[in-house]
Amino acid sequence: MESKRKFLKEDFKVENWNSVKPFFQRLEARKINNAQELKQWFLDRSELESILSEDLAWRYIRMTGDTANREFVERFNFFISEIQPHVAPYTNALNKKAIECPYIGELQEQGFDILRRTLKKDFEIFRENNIPLFTELDQEAQQFGAISGAMTVTIEGKELTLQQASDFLQSSDRSVREHTYREIASRRLKDKDKLDGLLDRLIKKRNEVALNADFSNFRDYMFRSMGRFDYTVDDCYSFHEAVKSEVVPLLNELATERKNALKVDQLKPWDSNINYLGTVPLKPFETGEELEEKTINCFTQIDPYLGDCISIMKKMGHLDLVSRKGKAPGGYNYPLDETGVPFIFMNATSSLRDLVTMVHEGGHALHSFLTKDLPLNAFKQVPSEVAELASMSMELISMEYWDIFFPNSEDLIRAKREHLESIISTLPWVATIDKFQHWMYLHPQHSAEQRKDVWKNIVIEFSNSITDWTGLEESLEYMWQKQLHIFEVPFYYIEYGMAQLGAIAVWKNYKENAEKGYKAYTEALKLGYTKPIGAIYETAGIKFDFSKENIKNLIGFVQSELSKLKP
């Protein structure tokens, strides 16, 4: 795509710190005589940051695509250990220069007030002695992907990744489901001590970061670091309680319905994934290519521009969708700040879960496209409460066109029901992970045994009471180890719950008036991070509200939609 470089040369490449350093020095030394020169200084800084961000992005994309490739791992680690630590003090110096500039108050364009707030926050929490700790944390956190990516099991004579094997949990043969579940659980537990040790090291270093920055704990540090200006710790606790009272009882209703439909004496964990409305597992696609084509078709029905976004990504080779050995687990949409065309990574096999992941990441991709022309890179760095609104809303909006994936009407009903039921179960899981992280970082000296016990209490608190875990207690006690966010992006999780509520409201608006609802949604995404979270949600035609009353109303809407989906 056409380059927009002005501050750096077209052929500039990030080779090492010495190749980058002169540009930071020029920005730090530049004299600024008026507001217009300050604005140009921000634009030049944004260009440099975008180039660095995209270079790091490609190193990460290649490494996660092949965790066994030593060259890819070393190139990523080189940036983390040899470039990023040198960037940090210059970033802090540039933040200070901007904050103290006498002309910053004259920049009245939309977004600069948010930027000033973010720069001030970043400057206040910066500590030079945290730089080597961040490098160590980044390198340690990578180990989760390497450990998880190497996990395989043998099912029906084939070596499969855990993602591939999980498709057998949808088998209509209960013995196949049980065997698969036990194999996956057993394989995860083989590395439980390794993952326990990894988390112990991460918690210790993260707590040190917080203390260095004059916070009493890492939880409070992260609230500040993540720029949670729009809600408090107490709001998170209120969210936990609201989910417990308004959503968890529905889990029991759904589990009872599942138990009765399956006609089993005891509902076991391997019964939770099968779509009990039919006997054959749902297969929305067979190959990665088919997933690409059907997604483009589905998105085009919503908005031709949206379909074009995925087509462009496909043409540019920015889609890596299929699961394979050595590939890191999970899925992501990685914005490429200079190019403006993001990259989607995931581990598709052929399940409904994979379809949902694709349209979820497609929502993130749309967000990247809609914000690519904002003047500053900082305006594109949206808070996760907004980022996940983009993706989770797309899951529900796209559901209106899932007949492209499920031409059989019975399969379509099954798919929609399964997804809506998963939304109801998402909120308790979000509360579980968030409450667990609050406890861990408020008690950083805890032992692995204490952590196991606390996790068990929390997960039971937010789970249905129908499923029988007899004989599988250890699997339940270490279930948290499958959650990537705990290892790689601590405290990035409650945003999924807040955004899920927002997404239900966006979907409700879309169903009432598709054109008006979709326009409000995309207008909100176009804002990037140039307005506060509440104002962005308001632009989308919804409320940033996770009160008990709002949760009750929105879950009631989901229940009413579920009641319409009868075989």
Side-chain angles (χ1 to χ4, degrees), residues 25 119 146 155 197 277 322 429 560:
Q25 291 176 321
L119 293 175
I155 306 290
L277 295 176
V322 179
W429 181 252
S560 71

Side-chain angles (χ1 to χ4, degrees), residues 103-104 115 154 231 304 326 346 352 359 418-419 489 544 562:
Y103 307 107
I104 193 163
L115 176 57
T154 300
Y231 58 98
M346 57 182 283
L352 173 61
V359 294
E418 186 171 325
H419 186 50
V489 278
F544 185 61
L562 264 173

Side-chain angles (χ1 to χ4, degrees), residues 315-519:
K315 185 176 179 182
M316 293 179 67
H318 285 205
L319 301 174
D320 181 4
L321 308 184
V322 179
S323 178
R324 58 180 178 271
K325 186 178 179 181
K327 193 174 181 181
Y332 59 76
N333 173 82
Y334 208 130
L336 297 170
D337 291 329
E338 187 183 21
T339 310
V341 178
F343 190 102
I344 290 180
F345 169 102
M346 57 182 283
N347 280 276
T349 52
S350 59
S351 68
L352 173 61
R353 178 198 65 234
D354 299 323
L355 161 58
V356 173
T357 299
M358 182 67 214
V359 294
H360 177 101
E361 302 305 342
H364 283 309
L366 172 64
H367 207 175
S368 296
F369 276 96
L370 291 176
T371 57
K372 69 183 177 66
D373 292 327
L374 288 172
L376 296 184
N377 187 44
F379 294 168
K380 305 172 192 177
Q381 308 306 311
V382 297
S384 39
E385 297 84 356
V386 175
E388 298 305 335
L389 177 70
S391 56
M392 290 180 147
S393 296
M394 187 55 68
E395 293 176 20
L396 290 166
I397 291 171
S398 71
M399 197 166 68
E400 303 300 317
Y401 305 94
W402 280 7
D403 58 309
I404 289 165
F405 294 92
F406 303 104
N408 179 290
S409 61
E410 289 184 3
D411 287 349
L412 180 60
I413 288 171
R414 287 171 59 199
K416 288 183 175 183
R417 277 194 65 90
E418 186 171 325
H419 186 50
L420 292 181
E421 287 181 9
S422 77
I423 285 174
I424 291 173
S425 62
T426 290
L427 292 170
W429 181 252
V430 167
T432 302
I433 296 295
D434 190 62
K435 187 170 182 176
F436 182 53
Q437 294 200 90
H438 278 260
W439 180 86
M440 284 197 298
Y441 291 104
L442 290 177
H443 304 85
Q445 306 303 323
H446 69 264
S447 67
E449 192 67 22
Q450 288 173 317
R451 183 165 63 225
K452 181 183 75 172
D453 291 341
V454 168
W455 164 260
K456 186 176 180 180
N457 290 335
I458 294 173
V459 76
I460 289 172
E461 180 183 1
F462 290 101
S463 298
N464 76 73
S465 58
I466 310 301
T467 302
D468 177 26
W469 288 88
T470 303
L472 300 160
E473 291 84 359
E474 192 175 28
S475 177
L476 179 68
E477 290 164 352
Y478 287 94
M479 192 186 292
W480 60 268
Q481 291 190 342
K482 70 180 183 179
Q483 193 63 58
L484 171 149
H485 301 70
I486 289 173
F487 294 90
E488 296 189 0
V489 278
F491 281 100
Y492 183 178
Y493 214 69
I494 196 169
E495 297 88 344
Y496 289 108
M498 295 169 176
Q500 185 67 81
L501 296 172
I504 294 168
V506 166
W507 180 46
K508 184 173 183 290
N509 289 344
Y510 186 83
K511 288 187 76 69
E512 290 169 357
N513 185 323
E515 184 178 351
K516 182 181 176 183
Y518 184 75
K519 187 176 192 319

